[in-house]
Amino acid sequence: GITELAKGKEETISQAFLLTDGENEHGDNDRCLKLAELAASYNLTLNALGFGDHWNQDIAEKIADIASGTLSYIEKPEDAVGEFSRLFDRIQLVGLTNAYLLLSLAPKVRLAELKPVAQVVPDTIELPVIEESGQFIVRLGDLMVDAPRVVLANLYIGQLAVGNTTVARLQIRYENPTNPGEDLFSDTIPVDAVVAPNVQPQPNDQVQQHVLALAKYRQTQIAETKLQSGDRTGAATMLQHAAKTALQMGDKNAATVLQSSATQLQAGQELSESDRKKTRIVSKTVLRSN
């Protein structure tokens, strides 16, 4: 199926929807992930939509993340139209395809060894990094018009001389869907640092919001890992931390879901499949108020 999709993607924006309402009982989850990697290599975007409560959110999320798509939870049939409309609205905004972030680092600058790059807008995704010829390459997939794509990179910087210095250079490689196969490049953007002997913190509110979004996601991931290992107390504690982080962001919907899950665990109750899926979704994005 992926090969057939690839055949028809000339001069088009190629997005596919993977719909599931249950576990993969007749196949291999690892093979599903390999197929997602194949889709990404064909520059296809896979969006995973889970219906009801009995599907594997871990595999669905990995499929969507690998192929630069979106994970959606459709709890009730009447929610389907709204979720499909949201996804189609996104697709209509796509202006550039097959985009990659190209990152070149200066001497004495390196990426963090563990999860160095993550997207936080429109959804939170840990992005894999490939190094080629001293340059780091991160797949972004399709880029939307007038809709920000925010990516955080964790850099370690050694001791530098006082003054202004360029610590990295960024560039975007992409394709125009009307002329596929031709690599286009943005201007190169320098990332400059001002090195001072006495540092006075100057926090940026917008950057802080993005850092909190990543923290909320990672705190929830740790909670789920603890829950799977049987550490209910540890899971509840991390969910409480995630709820507080969501409140710092002003994301009250996520805070409510995360705190509710934490409270249930503290009371000795099991989280339902619905609760787990809601927790996963709010960790990855900011829910819109109804």
Side-chain angles (χ1 to χ4, degrees):
I2 290 174
T3 303
E4 291 303 312
L5 280 172
K7 289 179 182 177
K9 74 183 184 69
E10 294 298 321
E11 299 186 9
T12 62
I13 296 166
S14 297
Q15 303 241 354
F17 296 90
L18 173 65
L19 312 182
T20 179
D21 63 357
E23 292 280 354
N24 181 16
E25 298 175 349
H26 306 290
D28 183 343
N29 286 335
D30 288 337
R31 185 167 183 268
C32 290
L33 300 180
K34 290 292 184 184
L35 289 172
E37 292 173 357
L38 178 63
S41 72
Y42 280 130
N43 304 325
L44 301 174
T45 298
L46 297 182
N47 300 287
L49 297 92
F51 288 76
D53 296 332
H54 302 293
W55 49 279
N56 188 325
Q57 63 263 28
D58 295 325
I59 297 301
E61 180 183 15
K62 288 178 181 177
I63 289 172
D65 287 357
I66 289 170
S68 303
T70 297
L71 174 67
S72 299
Y73 170 38
I74 299 175
E75 185 178 10
K76 296 172 288 188
E78 55 266 31
D79 297 335
V81 172
E83 191 59 27
F84 274 106
S85 295
R86 184 179 73 89
L87 292 175
F88 280 120
D89 286 344
R90 279 194 183 186
I91 293 171
Q92 288 178 328
L93 291 175
V94 171
L96 304 173
T97 59
N98 196 26
Y100 288 81
L101 171 66
L102 310 179
L103 175 62
S104 300
L105 302 180
K108 298 184 180 180
V109 181
R110 63 180 177 86
L111 281 176
E113 294 181 3
L114 181 64
K115 299 180 179 179
V117 180
Q119 173 186 296
V120 292
V121 175
D123 303 308
T124 302
I125 302 172
E126 303 282 5
L127 297 175
V129 180
I130 299 173
E131 184 177 4
E132 290 183 2
S133 303
Q135 188 176 57
F136 297 96
I137 302 174
V138 181
R139 183 174 188 262
L140 302 177
D142 295 337
L143 299 181
M144 295 179 284
V145 177
D146 297 328
R149 179 73 61 90
V150 179
V151 174
L152 301 181
N154 187 5
L155 302 180
Y156 285 90
I157 302 176
Q159 186 172 357
L160 301 173
V162 173
N164 292 354
T165 186
T166 298
V167 297
R169 295 184 184 277
L170 307 177
Q171 192 174 35
I172 302 296
R173 186 180 75 210
Y174 61 93
E175 293 180 10
N176 187 324
T178 62
N179 189 23
E182 179 184 356
D183 285 338
L184 303 173
F185 294 86
S186 71
D187 294 336
T188 300
I189 301 172
V191 179
D192 295 330
V194 179
V195 182
N198 299 307
V199 177
Q200 294 294 327
Q202 295 180 328
N204 180 291
D205 290 342
Q206 190 175 31
V207 173
Q208 182 71 7
Q209 283 290 103
H210 298 321
V211 172
L212 289 172
L214 183 56
K216 178 185 69 169
Y217 176 73
R218 289 180 173 172
Q219 288 163 343
T220 307
Q221 290 288 299
I222 294 171
E224 291 190 0
T225 300
K226 288 183 177 294
L227 188 59
Q228 290 170 4
S229 68
D231 183 3
R232 298 165 62 89
T233 301
T237 299
M238 290 309 303
L239 286 173
Q240 282 186 315
H241 287 318
K244 291 178 181 178
T245 301
L247 280 178
Q248 284 183 271
M249 297 172 59
D251 188 359
K252 295 181 180 179
N253 289 322
T256 299
V257 172
L258 294 166
Q259 184 58 56
S260 174
S261 294
T263 301
Q264 289 182 64
L265 290 176
Q266 289 172 328
Q269 301 173 5
E270 295 288 339
L271 291 185
S272 68
E273 285 298 320
S274 175
D275 291 331
R276 289 194 176 202
K277 288 168 175 58
K278 289 176 182 176
T279 298
R280 178 68 59 90
I281 294 298
V282 300
S283 76
K284 291 180 69 70
T285 190
V286 175
L287 294 182
R288 296 170 298 177
S289 298
N290 293 327

